[in-house]
Amino acid sequence: MKTETSGGDTRHQGQEAEEVVYDGLGVGPGIAIGTVHLHDAGAVVVPEYRIAAGRVEAECKRFHHATEMAARQIAKLQRKAEALPTAAGEELGYLLDAYQQMLKGSRLVRGVERHIREERINAEAAVQQQINEIVQGFEAMEDEYLAARAQDIREVGRRLLRHLTKTPYQPFSLLPRSSIILAEELTPADTALLDPAQVAGFATVLGGAQSHTAIMARSLGLPAVISVGGLIRGARHGDLAVIDGMAGKVILRPRPETLALYRQLRANFLRQRRTLTRLRSLPAITRDGARVSLQANMELPSEVEAILMSGAEGVGLLRSEFMFMNRDTVPDEEEQYAILRDVVERLEGRSITIRTLDAGSDKMAPALGIAPGANPALGLRAIRLSLSRPELLEIQLSAILRAGAHGPVRILLPMVATVHEIRYVRSLLDRVVRRLTRQGVRISDPLPPLGVMIEVPGAALAADSLALYADFFAIGTNDLTQYTLAIDRADEAVAHLYDPLHPAVLRLIQFATEAALRARIPVSLCGEIAGDPRFTALLLGLGIRDLSMAAHSIPRVKQRIRSLDLLAATRRARVVMDQSDSARIAQLIDDFNGQR
Ligand code: PEP
Ligand code: MG
């Protein structure tokens, strides 16, 4: 956690400096106090190049895709604006309506297309050129109203350029220490660039609590609040701000007494965390002697230190997407091997479960050149994407097998739905093993177990069949909840409906766990509920003995395990599984948790 900077609102001469409190969804732990950095205001570097005649149509298509993405993002902001108090919401609503109009067959869109076709230049250069032309025209008229419209056009152009270049808005590396980032939206790739040594916390207007951006915040231990309506319009660069990641509050320009209160709360939080780290070397064992394995989820190699400090037994889920983010090219086998080997070695003999690429949906990897379909969460993502490009999967399998020569690894496949997918991967794995053996390259010995994520309802219901082909299961409740309840985990508009305690989700967890136990294969749970002590008794009661979570959550979950009685938890889980209403289930587990 950072120390706060001095100063604050006094530097805004002539402006009001009142405290404003915003509510949102708290997703990252702790409290941050620091200086506002408005992330969306940055300029985008615009690449300029000529394109071949044969590429013109594809370039126009790329441009139209960017307009669709921008329109989708603005539509989300419009929904947020509707929820704001009338005057502010209306004003913002008009502005966003105007942006939407500009994205539909306007002079801007027509002009860009013309530049691409006639001058054969790339879409980014065409957007830049067209904006300059329109804005110059407006400015020449010296009219205040038109000057404001010129600003709007620039803003829409910036949005298009950001979608086209897919670059993060600004390099975070240039931020001063204790920065608080406020943004409309941060993608998981943007979040991966945040350095906790510089950034104290962040808040965004868009995003759901189970989005990968939220998960990344928890992994980095960054206090964060998302889905905060009206946030950006109320904030100014350099404002003093507080992010309360636990209560889901953002306080801009806090009054002295508010600041004092949050300093106190932050000191309490840090003290509590220090107390918890003392649990590091103690086993995760219930009062009646049941042992539980606690492992860490890992998003970035920079987390190894925190993972070792947390007392994790190993890494239960390495999300390998980071290797493909924030770059234009796919990493080759040598690069992937070097990264994985380094992580494996730094874990000093602890096991690591490496998941193959889970790109698609909210984790877009520009290097792969996949255009999201109408329903990206149901489209070409995860194992489906890998199996549609087997040459990429073979490279990844090869890199994992080689890294496995330096420490114990397991291979995990995301979003598996059929036994055919496992069989296909096994055939590729056999081929890669044969090739590496022929070439005399050192690989894992014995070969790594090959497991599957249980995160599609169909996979959970067919878990007994999948268990015949998989060496282990990892239950992914983030996607399992999303797909079972048909709730987009990254969409703030339905975030309040996202409910892992829904009986349907719990039955699928129970069914898959029991199938694994009957087949005598290991089963772990690595969705976000694994790291929430509220769920611990229930999950243990359902038969789970292996939990994988953000490293920062391990001490609190361990504390909960050490305080509970497995027999009582199992009895309570039985009662829970007889319920039909998730509100009643929530009450039953909260009552149980309260009986300590
Ligand atoms: C899950 O879906 O629960 C999971 C662990 O995978 P991810 O969050 O990366 O989709
Ligand atoms: Mg998942």
Side-chain angles (χ1 to χ4, degrees):
M1 201 70 47
K2 313 290 142 343
T3 51
E4 69 274 24
T5 54
S6 58
D9 45 23
T10 47
R11 72 194 77 167
H12 297 284
Q13 299 281 314
Q15 290 185 29
E16 282 177 64
E18 78 289 9
E19 173 179 301
V20 198
V21 182
Y22 295 94
D23 288 310
L25 299 169
V27 295
I31 289 166
I33 303 174
T35 313
V36 166
H37 170 81
L38 281 173
H39 178 42
D40 297 348
V44 180
V45 179
V46 181
E48 287 181 26
Y49 50 90
R50 291 187 62 78
I51 53 173
R55 267 213 53 87
V56 165
E57 287 314 316
E59 199 62 8
C60 287
K61 207 164 148 198
R62 197 165 73 84
F63 168 62
H64 284 293
H65 177 61
T67 61
E68 276 164 29
M69 298 289 285
R72 236 185 264 175
Q73 195 179 38
I74 291 171
K76 283 188 184 182
L77 292 171
Q78 284 174 311
R79 283 205 304 268
K80 279 255 135 199
E82 282 163 19
L84 289 175
T86 334
E90 256 177 32
E91 194 195 331
L92 183 57
Y94 288 138
L95 195 65
L96 294 170
D97 282 348
Y99 290 178
Q100 288 287 29
Q101 291 308 321
M102 284 184 223
L103 291 168
K104 285 191 204 118
S106 65
R107 190 175 151 203
L108 173 64
V109 173
R110 288 194 310 273
V112 172
E113 259 199 60
R114 188 167 31 82
H115 285 302
I116 296 175
R117 288 184 192 288
E118 291 175 8
E119 291 154 46
R120 282 212 248 124
I121 52 174
N122 62 314
E124 291 88 340
V127 169
Q128 188 68 70
Q129 204 162 314
Q130 183 62 16
I131 290 170
N132 289 346
E133 281 171 22
I134 300 179
V135 167
Q136 271 163 20
F138 280 3
E139 281 172 353
M141 293 180 207
E142 288 183 7
D143 174 302
E144 228 175 77
Y145 173 80
L146 288 179
R149 297 290 72 75
Q151 274 307 328
D152 295 344
I153 299 221
R154 275 207 193 92
E155 169 56 28
V156 172
R158 259 202 302 267
R159 281 175 185 275
L160 286 172
L161 289 172
R162 285 198 297 250
H163 286 291
L164 281 168
T165 54
K166 295 197 180 86
T167 46
Y169 299 78
Q170 279 183 359
F172 296 114
S173 53
L174 303 177
L175 295 181
R177 281 176 70 83
S178 296
S179 288
I180 299 252
I181 294 178
L182 303 185
E184 226 167 54
E185 189 168 26
L186 287 179
T187 65
D190 293 337
T191 318
L193 297 177
L194 301 182
D195 177 358
Q198 285 166 307
V199 175
F202 70 82
T204 62
V205 180
L206 301 176
Q210 307 305 322
S211 63
H212 287 94
T213 300
I215 290 173
M216 195 77 86
R218 281 190 279 268
S219 270
L220 295 171
L222 279 178
V225 182
I226 60 177
S227 190
V228 190
L231 175 69
I232 301 296
R233 286 171 66 78
R236 302 183 294 243
H237 260 301
D239 274 345
L240 189 65
V242 175
I243 302 273
D244 181 345
M246 292 172 296
K249 289 199 182 301
V250 179
I251 299 114
L252 294 180
R253 304 176 288 274
R255 281 193 288 269
E257 58 275 24
T258 312
L259 194 56
L261 171 72
Y262 275 98
R263 281 189 180 138
Q264 186 57 49
L265 286 173
R266 194 179 55 172
N268 294 350
F269 173 81
L270 293 176
R271 195 172 321 112
Q272 210 180 14
R273 199 152 79 176
R274 273 195 302 275
T275 314
L276 284 172
T277 54
R278 297 196 197 116
L279 290 174
R280 194 172 69 205
S281 49
L282 297 178
I285 190 161
T286 62
R287 288 213 316 256
D288 47 348
R291 233 173 202 291
V292 182
S293 162
L294 298 184
Q295 306 205 59
N297 289 352
M298 183 170 163
E299 323 299 308
L300 298 168
S302 59
E303 289 174 71
V304 171
E305 208 59 38
I307 288 172
L308 296 179
M309 291 293 291
S310 72
E313 283 182 27
V315 172
L317 169 64
L318 170 70
R319 291 180 166 101
S320 62
E321 293 76 68
F322 73 89
M323 290 194 275
F324 297 76
M325 284 175 177
N326 295 309
R327 55 185 296 154
D328 299 327
T329 55
V330 172
D332 65 13
E333 180 178 322
E334 285 314 309
E335 185 178 349
Q336 293 190 40
Y337 164 60
I339 295 170
L340 294 177
R341 175 184 170 165
D342 175 58
V343 172
V344 168
E345 286 182 340
R346 283 159 62 211
L347 287 173
E348 298 168 349
R350 293 170 185 82
S351 103
I352 176 166
T353 300
I354 303 174
R355 188 172 69 183
T356 61
L357 183 62
D358 187 22
S361 197
D362 65 333
K363 289 181 286 193
M364 298 312 291
L368 297 169
I370 27 170
N375 282 313
L378 303 181
L380 194 62
R381 56 165 294 205
I383 193 66
R384 301 164 185 180
L385 176 65
S386 293
L387 291 179
S388 75
R389 314 259 293 263
E391 67 289 355
L392 289 185
L393 181 57
E394 284 194 22
I395 288 175
Q396 196 164 28
L397 293 173
S398 191
I400 298 173
L401 284 167
R402 291 172 61 192
H406 303 273
V409 303
R410 305 197 302 175
I411 302 174
L412 177 61
L413 308 176
M415 229 191 137
V416 164
T418 67
V419 295
H420 168 75
E421 287 160 339
I422 314 176
R423 287 211 302 253
Y424 189 3
V425 175
R426 277 209 192 278
S427 70
L428 295 179
L429 196 58
D430 286 349
R431 195 156 76 197
V432 175
V433 169
R434 279 201 302 277
R435 173 175 61 80
L436 292 172
T437 314
R438 213 172 37 240
Q439 292 168 344
V441 178
R442 260 184 77 209
I443 59 171
S444 303
D445 183 17
L447 291 178
L450 179 67
V452 296
M453 295 285 298
I454 301 288
E455 52 185 348
V456 174
L461 288 168
D464 43 356
S465 314
L466 294 175
L468 300 174
Y469 296 88
D471 297 325
F472 65 94
F473 284 169
I475 302 177
T477 45
N478 306 336
D479 277 318
L480 191 59
T481 307
Q482 152 165 277
Y483 293 125
T484 304
L485 303 180
I487 305 285
D488 184 341
R489 62 192 266 193
D491 186 345
E492 63 291 333
V494 285
H496 61 292
L497 301 172
Y498 186 94
D499 183 11
L501 288 179
H502 190 292
V505 179
L506 297 182
R507 284 176 198 165
L508 291 173
I509 296 174
Q510 184 184 39
F511 193 82
T513 305
E514 289 178 356
L517 296 176
R518 272 197 307 276
R520 297 180 192 285
I521 61 169
V523 53
S524 63
L525 191 143
C526 58
E528 290 303 283
I529 59 172
D532 185 344
R534 185 184 182 212
F535 289 81
T536 310
L538 177 61
L539 297 178
L540 263 53
L542 290 176
I544 299 280
R545 297 287 180 275
D546 188 340
L547 295 165
S548 191
M549 65 200 78
H552 294 275
S553 303
I554 288 181
R556 282 170 68 223
V557 172
K558 189 186 279 184
Q559 187 182 41
R560 178 69 190 113
I561 290 169
R562 292 175 62 85
S563 75
L564 67 78
D565 190 79
L566 181 63
L567 199 61
T570 308
R571 275 201 216 104
R572 180 53 57 115
R574 257 187 235 132
V575 178
V576 161
M577 296 312 288
D578 283 339
Q579 307 303 316
S580 49
D581 172 17
S582 59
R584 173 79 186 127
I585 293 176
Q587 193 190 345
L588 280 167
I589 66 166
D590 289 344
D591 287 351
F592 183 79
N593 289 336
Q595 289 165 12
R596 285 182 243 170

